[in-house]
Amino acid sequence: MKVVIQRVTEASVTINKIKVAAINQGLLILVGIVNEDTQEDINWLVRKVTNLRIFNDENGVMNQSLLDAKGDVIVVSQFTLHASTKKGNRPSYIKAAKPDVAIPLYENFVKTLQKNIDKQVQTGEFGADMKVALLNDGPVTIIIDSKNKE
């Protein structure tokens, strides 16, 4: 499982011209899932995401976690995170899990994250054509892959 974490001052998800999610200060988390992913990957990533010290403290130093900053969260599924670009110019998404595998894992990621923070986790819609808008704060963008824990 791979996530791209973006620290934002605001973010939103729009589907068919309807805004389905919107946050202020917090994290926009893009999630890509492969067939080999398990609840263990979810648990590890949720611990990392919630405790990663990427929010500024009173001295302007990135020393606070999502929990400390009491930030908002939007989670968006994004199979393109597992694109392979080794051959040719058309990305291959063969590594990305199909919906029958990915949807339950995505939903479990959201539920597990929800259990670990004091705010509602907002989401896009799995498989929808989403328009994601964000104002990246910093910019701070971090990529974490549960398969590269060491």
Side-chain angles (χ1 to χ4, degrees):
M1 188 171 286
K2 188 180 291 187
V3 296
V4 174
I5 302 164
Q6 295 182 301
R7 186 180 77 181
V8 300
T9 55
E10 61 184 63
S12 64
V13 178
T14 302
I15 302 171
N16 296 324
K17 299 182 181 179
I18 299 170
K19 193 174 284 190
V20 298
I23 64 169
N24 291 311
Q25 179 196 18
L27 299 177
L28 170 65
I29 304 171
L30 307 174
V31 180
I33 298 167
V34 294
N35 287 322
E36 298 77 25
D37 288 330
T38 66
Q39 187 65 41
E40 182 181 325
D41 294 287
I42 292 169
N43 294 340
W44 184 82
L45 278 171
V46 166
R47 277 193 305 276
K48 274 294 203 192
V49 167
T50 57
N51 292 297
L52 204 59
R53 297 186 320 177
I54 59 173
F55 290 92
N56 293 344
D57 63 14
E58 62 279 354
N59 298 315
V61 177
M62 285 197 292
N63 204 25
Q64 292 191 331
S65 70
L66 176 67
L67 299 174
D68 298 327
K70 296 179 178 26
D72 295 327
V73 178
I74 294 180
V75 177
V76 175
S77 62
Q78 190 167 1
F79 73 93
T80 60
L81 293 181
H82 290 289
S84 174
T85 57
K86 289 182 181 180
K87 290 178 153 182
N89 293 317
R90 182 184 302 242
S92 168
Y93 304 107
I94 196 80
K95 291 181 182 179
K98 301 287 185 242
D100 62 320
V101 171
I103 291 172
L105 289 168
Y106 170 76
E107 290 173 349
N108 282 342
F109 179 86
V110 171
K111 286 177 189 171
T112 303
L113 183 58
Q114 181 66 60
K115 288 178 186 175
N116 285 274
I117 64 173
D118 291 334
K119 293 189 171 193
Q120 179 66 36
V121 174
Q122 296 188 51
T123 64
E125 180 182 320
F126 191 96
D129 180 12
M130 295 175 273
K131 307 303 179 207
V132 179
L134 68 129
L135 186 56
N136 195 314
D137 183 17
V140 174
T141 301
I142 297 177
I143 301 169
I144 305 174
D145 190 331
S146 66
K147 305 302 187 228
N148 295 324
K149 293 178 188 168
E150 298 175 18

